[in-house]
């Protein structure tokens, strides 16, 4: 088990980010499907928890084969997906990832949001007070992202919001920018297979970090698209994006299944 705590600051308030997060996830998932990746939404509905109160439960299938390194692609099926289950009780969320092909693999993420610059060192004391973990700050403006994902229009160093006047973030922006909020993420990766555990867990954390960095850069770079939305507006947008993305993903993977079956029949 490898446990890390990520802290991602944003030039937003927690209330603003509530809308931006939902918008970013929906649009990002749709764009990833355009690149041959797929996020199929299986379930998305209100959920009530006796402790956390009212929230939203979402279940997705995340098709990731092309994101895997070559050594991993060699041992997993061509039709490969991870199940994502998320419980959103904003400003607290729980997300779990599992894979039926790899029963000893899982990712567990607990997220809390606060209006500060990542200065709360006790935010996860109830969840992981006695557990050893590395704290990793992610800077949306200055940290490098994989070159294939870079877009100048989504670079906080160059982007400036017309609606909020925020942007063109420079090194050290977290020390002086107002408003500022932080997304605290406690991420546990487990892959309990002898000989591969360390390598896989470290690789997964690298992927998680890249996704967090890219997603939060996009949430800010798209601020003018979602800033005037209400919660009803963003839920309607989310619903429409899910429907469009599901069509792409289901068609894409149905074709893959057909190709595999056709090849098998020909071989026979």
């Amino acid at each position: 088990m490898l446990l890390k705590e990520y802290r991602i600051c944003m030039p937003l308030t927690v209330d603003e980010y509530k809308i931006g997060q939902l918008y970013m996830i929906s649009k990002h998932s749709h764009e990833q499907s355009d690149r041959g990746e797929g996020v199929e939404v299986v379930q998305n509905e209100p959920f009530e928890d006796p402790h956390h109160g009212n929230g939203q439960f979402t279940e997705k299938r995340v098709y990731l084969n092309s994101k895997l390194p070559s050594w991993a692609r060699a041992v997993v099926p061509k039709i490969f997906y991870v199940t994502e289950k998320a419980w959103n009780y904003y400003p607290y969320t729980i997300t779990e990832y599992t894979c039926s092909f790899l029963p000893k693999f899982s990712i567990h993420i607990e997220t809390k949001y606060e209006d500060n610059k990542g200065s709360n060192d006790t935010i996860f004391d109830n969840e992981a007070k006695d557990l050893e973990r590395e704290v990793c700050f992610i800077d949306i403006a200055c940290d490098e992202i994989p070159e294939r994902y870079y877009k100048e229009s989504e670079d906080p160093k160059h982007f400036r919001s017309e609606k909020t006047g925020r942007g063109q973030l420079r090194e050290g922006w977290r020390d002086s920018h107002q408003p500022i909020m932080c997304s605290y993420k406690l991420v546990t990766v487990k892959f309990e297979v002898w000989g591969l555990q360390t390598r896989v867990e470290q690789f997964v954390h690298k992927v998680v970090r890249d996704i967090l960095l890219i997603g939060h850069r996009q949430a800010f770079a798209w601020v003018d698209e979602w800033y005037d939305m209400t919660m009803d507006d963003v839920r309607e947008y989310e619903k429409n994006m899910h429907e469009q993305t599901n069509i792409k993903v289901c068609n894409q993977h149905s074709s893959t299944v057909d190709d595999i079956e056709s090849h098998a029949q020909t071989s026979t």
Side-chain angles (χ1 to χ4, degrees):
M1 180 181 78
L2 186 57
L3 177 66
K4 292 188 179 185
E5 180 184 325
Y6 297 93
R7 301 181 187 179
I8 312 106
C9 290
M10 297 285 285
L12 303 166
T13 67
V14 167
D15 287 341
E16 291 170 344
Y17 185 70
K18 185 176 184 178
I19 303 290
Q21 174 202 44
L22 296 174
Y23 183 91
M24 175 270 291
I25 291 172
S26 298
K27 182 174 177 178
H28 178 84
S29 296
H30 188 69
E31 287 194 347
Q32 288 298 300
S33 295
D34 284 340
R35 298 191 188 104
E37 302 302 326
V39 183
E40 178 188 359
V41 180
V42 179
Q43 191 174 353
N44 185 26
E45 59 187 29
F47 184 85
E48 185 172 352
D49 181 88
H51 178 65
H52 299 296
N54 293 327
Q56 191 84 2
F57 171 74
T58 309
E59 181 178 347
K60 302 176 182 178
R61 290 179 179 177
V62 186
Y63 295 89
L64 292 169
N65 193 277
S66 67
K67 287 188 179 296
L68 298 175
S70 57
W71 57 266
R73 288 198 299 270
V75 297
V76 303
K78 188 174 182 180
I79 305 172
F80 171 78
Y81 67 85
V82 170
T83 297
E84 175 194 286
K85 294 184 178 180
W87 295 262
N88 188 342
Y89 310 104
Y90 199 88
Y92 173 66
T93 64
I94 303 169
T95 309
E96 295 179 349
Y97 297 89
T98 56
C99 176
S100 58
F101 177 71
L102 300 169
K104 295 186 177 181
F105 166 77
S106 66
I107 305 172
H108 181 86
I109 304 175
E110 294 186 57
T111 307
K112 297 183 180 182
Y113 307 91
E114 289 189 346
D115 285 314
N116 56 51
K117 57 182 181 180
S119 53
N120 188 347
D121 294 327
T122 62
I123 193 167
F124 288 116
D125 269 7
N126 291 335
E127 293 80 11
K129 184 176 183 179
D130 299 321
L131 296 178
E132 181 179 347
R133 65 187 184 274
E134 178 184 358
V135 175
C136 306
F137 280 87
I138 295 178
D139 189 326
I140 65 168
C142 300
D143 288 356
E144 292 186 3
I145 67 170
E147 185 177 352
R148 66 185 182 277
Y149 294 116
Y150 179 81
K151 293 182 181 179
E152 185 173 348
S153 62
E154 296 175 0
D155 188 338
K157 292 193 299 293
H158 301 297
F159 169 76
R160 184 175 181 83
S161 166
E162 293 182 2
K163 291 185 178 179
T164 68
R166 305 168 203 170
Q168 295 183 319
L169 305 177
R170 303 306 181 194
E171 189 167 350
W173 69 272
R174 292 180 299 174
D175 295 326
S176 57
H177 196 284
Q178 289 296 329
I180 191 167
M181 54 84 64
C182 184
S183 171
Y184 294 83
K185 292 185 175 288
L186 187 66
V187 181
T188 305
V189 177
K190 291 183 181 179
F191 186 71
E192 298 172 340
V193 176
W194 187 86
L196 289 174
Q197 180 171 0
T198 299
R199 185 179 186 181
V200 170
E201 290 178 352
Q202 289 177 343
F203 167 76
V204 171
H205 266 288
K206 181 183 183 304
V207 172
V208 168
R209 187 189 183 282
D210 285 346
I211 291 173
L212 292 177
L213 175 57
I214 294 164
H216 284 79
R217 284 165 64 101
Q218 290 176 329
F220 175 56
W222 297 337
V223 62
D224 288 343
E225 299 175 26
W226 58 258
Y227 192 73
D228 294 327
M229 283 185 168
T230 65
M231 182 55 68
D232 288 340
D233 292 336
V234 78
R235 285 297 184 195
E236 182 63 23
Y237 175 84
E238 181 183 53
K239 179 175 178 290
N240 291 335
M241 283 293 100
H242 287 171
E243 290 174 354
Q244 293 178 36
T245 305
N246 277 2
I247 292 172
K248 290 183 180 182
V249 174
C250 290
N251 288 343
Q252 169 188 320
H253 288 279
S254 294
S255 297
T256 303
V257 172
D258 291 341
D259 290 344
I260 293 172
E261 290 178 348
S262 176
H263 177 73
Q265 291 171 2
T266 302
S267 300
T268 303

